[in-house]
Amino acid sequence: FIDDAFQKVLAEQKEVLTKEKANLILEMYCAFSEKKRKEDIEDAYKWITLITPVSEIEKEDENFAKATKGDVKKLKGELDGIKTELKKELDAMKGDIQTILTLVQNMSAK
């Protein structure tokens, strides 16, 4: 019960902080002249935002907003495993490349 309430408070806190940050950015933006906004800000910081309907997010089996520390640790463990496998494969490829390079140098020397 306490855990659910705490997660709800954390979710609300993030929403409030994000809203406050957006308000501060908007206030700063409005403080600039129209010319300065266009030249210095709008042209320099163009981006595309993808808006996803809540219904699409809710279709997922997992609720990403309620990820626990255990979930995060599990994902980090999986990522570490993938990194280890990739490093092993990369080392094997480096060995193969070194072998091929040695063969080519030996053939060039003859």
Side-chain angles (χ1 to χ4, degrees):
F1 178 72
I2 292 173
D3 187 41
D4 292 335
F6 184 70
Q7 286 183 357
K8 185 177 179 183
V9 168
L10 285 179
E12 289 175 6
Q13 177 188 16
K14 184 176 180 182
E15 292 171 9
V16 169
L17 290 174
T18 303
K19 184 177 179 181
E20 287 300 317
K21 184 177 179 182
N23 285 333
L24 287 172
I25 292 170
L26 184 60
E27 285 179 27
M28 288 178 55
Y29 179 77
C30 291
F32 292 114
S33 67
E34 188 174 338
K35 182 179 178 184
K36 181 145 179 83
R37 284 193 306 244
K38 179 70 175 155
E39 292 174 358
D40 294 346
I41 299 172
E42 292 177 11
D43 290 341
Y45 298 100
K46 294 180 182 178
W47 65 82
I48 298 173
T49 303
L50 175 64
I51 299 174
T52 304
V54 174
S55 60
E56 289 294 318
I57 296 171
E58 290 175 348
K59 287 181 182 177
E60 298 291 327
D61 293 335
E62 298 177 17
N63 185 352
F64 296 108
K66 293 186 179 180
T68 63
K69 288 182 181 179
D71 295 333
V72 173
K73 287 181 182 178
K74 180 180 174 185
L75 288 174
K76 284 183 180 179
E78 290 175 6
L79 287 174
D80 288 342
I82 292 170
K83 285 180 185 178
T84 303
E85 289 177 23
L86 288 174
K87 183 162 177 35
K88 287 178 184 176
E89 290 178 17
L90 182 61
D91 290 341
M93 289 172 67
K94 285 179 183 177
D96 293 343
I97 291 171
Q98 189 62 39
T99 303
I100 293 170
L101 182 60
T102 304
L103 290 172
V104 169
Q105 288 174 344
N106 289 340
M107 290 173 70
S108 298
K110 291 182 181 181

